[in-house]
Amino acid sequence: MQINKIMSYTFDKEDLKQIDAIKAKYPTVQSATMPVLWYAQDKFGHVNAEVQHLVATTLDIPESHVHGVATFYTQYYKKEMGKYVLDVCTCFSCQVCGGYDMLHYIEDKLGIKAGETTPDGKFSIQEAECLGACGYAPMLQVTNDVYVNHLTKEKIDSMIDGLKEDKLPEYEEILPPQLISKD
Amino acid sequence: MAIDFQNYKTLIIPQGGNLRDIKAYEKQGGYKALKTVFDARESAWTRENVINEVKTAGLRGRGGAGFNTGLKWSFMPKPDGGKRYLAANGDESEPGTFKDRVIFEFNPHLFIEGAIIGAYSIQADAVYVYIRGEYRSWIRFMEQAVADAYKAGYLGKNILGSGINIDMYVHSGAGAYICGEESSLMESLEGKRGYPRVKPPFPAQRGLWGRPTTINNIESLANVPLILNMGAAKYAEMGAKTHPGPVLYGISGHVNRPGVYEFPTGMLITDLIYNVAGGIRNGKKLKALVPGGSSTPILRADQIEGVSMDADSLRTAGSMMGTAGMSILDEDTDMVDFLYRISHFYHHESCGQCTPCREGTGWLEKILKKIKNGDGEMRDLDLLLDLTTQMEGRTVCALADAAAWPVRHTITRFRDEFEARCRKSVFAIA
């Protein structure tokens, strides 16, 4: 990862329009803190101190408040992360279905531990708490977005091969067993 | 009481393909309950009548506490001209729970219809749908469904020509178990750290932005159109008498066919494990069951005979219904490792506001780690039990209780396994 990478964090006109739309959903500006942090993270990839400062000045609320919120919620990245963050669930439903085996397999494969980022800045691994996919364990989530369920070593291999070429895994629709289709 | 579950026709899980498309939902009779209520609101469906119907139906909250939904609605004070809110709780962060996402993905309009009827009943101006941040895919489904409902005229100004205005907004969490607690959820919606509030004042008195607010679980609200369509009397006859209606059972762990299943309450646990979910994987034997999410007390295999999934039966058996997220554990499960992982979760998720919880969850995890690693002593087990009694009921919210229960019950119900990992406590005698 490049350290002290020079990057200026600003919101452009379109961003400010989106942020105004977010503000309109709530009776107070403070309520926009979380969605605007999300917006910023989607744009910049993280919400480090400088991004927090930008969010605070944009919303005209204390920077300490934004910092407090950003640090309370685990999904906000307070520092630069790898391009793809693999959140491997090891909470108990995944634990009893091999979640740790999958985590350790990914750690070995990428040569880093949970909480670390590969030197090329491509991957970070995190050990995640319950992600709400207990029936489809073991599973992981890619950069706060798509879920990859029913993990196997083969599935991890092809997922990581894909991500190396910036091919995101596709959303997996899992039908409830009782859902009766139209036909 | 036996339930003819093999012939049960699901009401929340759609029959007729995915109903995310609003047209498909309407074709199946969707938004009929809402139209009926708004058409007849001067005569049959006054706000009071809707609340009474839901109350008589006996619908109990599906988020874990199991409180009567209609009764909760009736706590809202008389309007004073200011804003009032309904918050829909889709935080779904109790480990073992993955049922509300089925509604978001396959039948979101059933929930939206129920939420609009709920908002009408309690005279709320807006509904805030709080969904855990990890569910980004499901947040997209919901945002689309809400936009479609606006376009069709079920949300916004002058809904169906009734003169009633109700808005609905989807709010994304960002990774905090505690935000499923109703007052923490409100703090989070207000853009703050999710610290639970001291009650009273209760949300109906002072909730979101200081205004009267009701918080209901997603699945609870999805039940509302069902009640109005079939009538409270018929609904009350479904499943267990004191806890009626359909329930989404999220079955996970060591079973052959895990997943989210819908059946009436009061299903025999053995039916759910062996006949619905296909029994234990690899021909193994059942060891234990966590019936309703990680905080509900664990039951040994010999404790579930004849026990059904409803509040009364589970209380008698020594546990709780919770979210009906059932985790099934086979005979090979190491209970010490299992409990350590649960305690790690609660330590991670304690918001840190109250000392007994912040410190207590940390010590639970630390001592369990020591035992797990083979360095524990027999007296550590009693220390753990002592700790749980010092945590329960001494904090602002129930997270400390939720962290203490699994420790207390797993140790008392599987004490031999814990003792087998501990050394004898040696005191100097000379």
Side-chain angles (χ1 to χ4, degrees):
Chain A
M1 222 186 337
Q2 289 169 272
I3 297 169
N4 297 329
K5 191 165 69 176
I6 294 163
M7 183 166 173
S8 65
Y9 298 101
T10 49
F11 286 134
D12 61 27
K13 241 185 173 162
E14 176 56 30
D15 296 331
L16 294 173
K17 218 174 98 189
Q18 296 289 339
I19 288 167
D20 278 341
I22 291 170
K23 276 155 67 177
K25 287 166 65 176
Y26 306 94
T28 65
V29 178
Q30 190 183 51
S31 291
T33 310
M34 286 182 72
V36 173
L37 277 169
W38 269 123
Y39 188 88
Q41 179 154 304
D42 287 345
K43 185 180 167 86
F44 305 116
H46 57 263
V47 288
N48 66 6
E50 287 159 78
V51 178
Q52 291 166 27
H53 175 77
L54 173 70
V55 169
T57 47
T58 308
L59 292 177
D60 195 20
I61 53 177
E63 197 172 333
S64 59
H65 174 79
V66 176
H67 182 67
V69 171
T71 49
F72 187 83
Y73 298 93
T74 50
Q75 285 190 286
Y76 296 127
Y77 303 143
K78 273 70 73 178
K79 56 173 193 192
E80 256 180 87
M81 301 290 277
K83 185 166 184 189
Y84 299 110
V85 182
L86 306 178
D87 275 309
V88 188
C89 182
T90 59
C91 202
F92 77 86
S93 304
C94 281
Q95 174 200 20
V96 300
C97 291
Y100 278 101
D101 290 344
M102 294 301 129
L103 173 67
H104 296 145
Y105 181 73
I106 297 172
E107 286 177 334
D108 290 346
K109 193 174 166 70
L110 297 177
I112 52 169
K113 293 278 174 209
E116 296 175 352
T117 301
T118 53
D120 63 359
K122 192 96 185 184
F123 293 101
S124 297
I125 310 174
Q126 299 193 120
E127 186 182 342
E129 295 302 335
C130 186
L131 294 169
C134 313
Y136 324 119
M139 57 79 64
L140 62 78
Q141 179 173 28
V142 182
T143 328
N144 286 330
D145 201 329
V146 69
Y147 279 20
V148 186
N149 308 284
H150 299 122
L151 287 179
T152 58
K153 288 175 182 172
E154 293 73 34
K155 197 165 174 179
I156 289 170
D157 287 343
S158 69
M159 178 196 76
I160 288 180
D161 286 347
L163 286 173
K164 280 181 180 160
E165 290 163 17
D166 294 319
K167 205 173 133 270
L168 279 163
E170 273 178 36
Y171 174 75
E172 300 169 359
E173 184 183 64
I174 302 174
L175 296 177
Q178 291 161 298
L179 187 135
I180 296 169
S181 69
K182 270 176 277 194
D183 334 297
Chain B
M1 177 194 39
I3 291 165
D4 181 15
F5 64 90
Q6 264 120 351
N7 293 313
Y8 174 72
K9 270 198 149 82
T10 61
L11 300 164
I12 300 169
I13 292 175
Q15 305 211 327
N18 194 333
L19 296 184
R20 201 157 69 227
D21 176 9
I22 192 165
K23 294 254 157 51
Y25 179 69
E26 285 171 325
K27 223 169 148 188
Q28 295 258 315
Y31 287 108
K32 201 181 80 195
L34 177 69
K35 285 175 190 157
T36 314
V37 167
F38 277 24
D39 279 349
R41 73 200 162 87
E42 306 291 347
S43 50
W45 289 117
T46 60
R47 296 186 160 95
E48 241 167 39
N49 285 352
V50 177
I51 293 175
N52 276 332
E53 190 79 357
V54 175
K55 210 193 285 183
T56 332
L59 167 62
R60 293 172 68 162
R62 301 291 193 242
F67 194 78
N68 184 301
T69 303
L71 191 61
K72 200 188 232 182
W73 288 357
S74 71
F75 293 158
M76 287 290 272
K78 285 208 167 62
D80 59 2
K83 294 274 182 193
R84 299 152 73 87
Y85 299 104
L86 173 66
N89 187 346
D91 192 57
E92 185 147 277
S93 45
E94 177 84 358
T97 311
F98 57 110
K99 50 144 184 121
D100 290 337
R101 51 179 267 188
V102 169
I103 298 174
F104 298 143
E105 185 167 0
F106 298 102
N107 212 350
H109 290 286
L110 181 70
F111 154 73
I112 293 174
E113 185 180 2
I116 299 168
I117 295 170
Y120 157 76
S121 310
I122 61 168
Q123 305 195 49
D125 304 270
V127 184
Y128 284 89
V129 186
Y130 191 102
I131 305 178
R132 63 180 305 180
E134 291 88 345
Y135 278 1
R136 186 168 269 213
S137 305
W138 292 270
I139 289 169
R140 289 193 195 106
F141 293 144
M142 275 309 293
E143 280 174 340
Q144 184 60 50
V146 169
D148 292 344
Y150 265 103
K151 229 179 279 166
Y154 299 124
L155 282 169
K157 296 242 175 312
N158 190 19
I159 297 170
L160 302 172
S162 63
I164 294 167
N165 311 325
I166 297 168
D167 281 308
M168 186 178 283
Y169 306 104
V170 177
H171 181 95
S172 166
Y177 167 75
I178 190 61
C179 291
E181 196 277 337
E182 61 178 15
S183 64
S184 168
L185 182 145
M186 294 192 294
E187 289 286 302
S188 187
L189 269 169
E190 291 181 9
K192 299 183 236 165
R193 297 164 75 91
Y195 287 149
R197 298 177 185 172
V198 177
K199 293 180 222 178
F202 291 96
Q205 301 162 276
R206 201 186 305 155
L208 277 170
W209 301 289
R211 302 295 308 162
T213 303
T214 293
I215 299 108
N216 288 131
N217 176 258
I218 300 292
E219 189 187 341
S220 312
L221 290 168
N223 270 272
V224 171
L226 307 179
I227 292 170
L228 298 190
N229 285 334
M230 73 167 83
K234 202 172 161 209
Y235 183 94
E237 279 169 16
M238 276 182 83
K241 225 183 166 95
T242 56
H243 197 162
V247 162
L248 295 176
Y249 296 97
I251 304 181
S252 64
H254 300 136
V255 286
N256 282 311
R257 290 194 298 274
V260 176
Y261 295 87
E262 179 195 329
F263 290 107
T265 54
M267 282 280 286
L268 280 175
I269 290 173
T270 43
D271 270 344
L272 284 165
I273 297 176
Y274 296 104
N275 298 324
V276 172
I280 311 297
R281 265 183 216 175
N282 305 321
K284 296 275 182 189
K285 283 202 192 76
L286 174 72
K287 179 174 199 168
L289 162 81
V290 182
S294 57
S295 63
T296 56
I298 194 164
L299 294 169
R300 282 191 318 264
D302 62 286
Q303 291 179 296
I304 64 158
E305 276 307 315
V307 178
S308 56
M309 288 295 286
D310 57 86
D312 289 352
S313 182
L314 281 163
R315 189 169 49 241
T316 312
S319 190
M320 290 185 297
M321 176 85 166
T323 60
M326 303 165 67
S327 303
I328 285 105
L329 307 173
D330 74 12
E331 55 188 316
D332 295 342
T333 311
D334 184 325
M335 299 316 292
V336 179
D337 281 10
F338 177 75
L339 182 61
Y340 162 71
R341 188 62 186 77
I342 289 185
S343 290
H344 172 73
F345 170 81
Y346 284 107
H347 182 209
H348 184 267
E349 298 299 340
S350 173
C351 81
Q353 191 176 214
C354 312
T355 310
C357 179
R358 183 185 61 243
E359 303 300 319
T361 52
W363 280 107
L364 291 179
E365 185 192 355
K366 240 181 262 184
I367 298 168
L368 279 162
K369 187 171 192 176
K370 184 178 151 197
I371 296 171
K372 175 178 90 88
N373 292 341
D375 300 324
E377 292 176 49
M378 224 56 107
R379 61 181 164 193
D380 288 334
L381 297 177
D382 295 317
L383 179 61
L384 282 169
L385 295 178
D386 184 37
L387 251 173
T388 61
T389 51
Q390 294 190 49
M391 291 167 67
E392 278 173 64
R394 291 168 195 244
T395 49
V396 168
C397 83
L399 194 145
D401 307 71
W405 292 332
V407 173
R408 162 118 56 80
H409 295 285
T410 311
I411 291 178
T412 47
R413 289 173 186 171
F414 293 91
R415 179 127 189 163
D416 52 334
E417 284 196 36
F418 285 85
E419 288 187 353
R421 288 280 268 276
C422 291
R423 290 195 310 268
K424 285 205 173 94
S425 305
V426 179
F427 297 90
I429 49 169

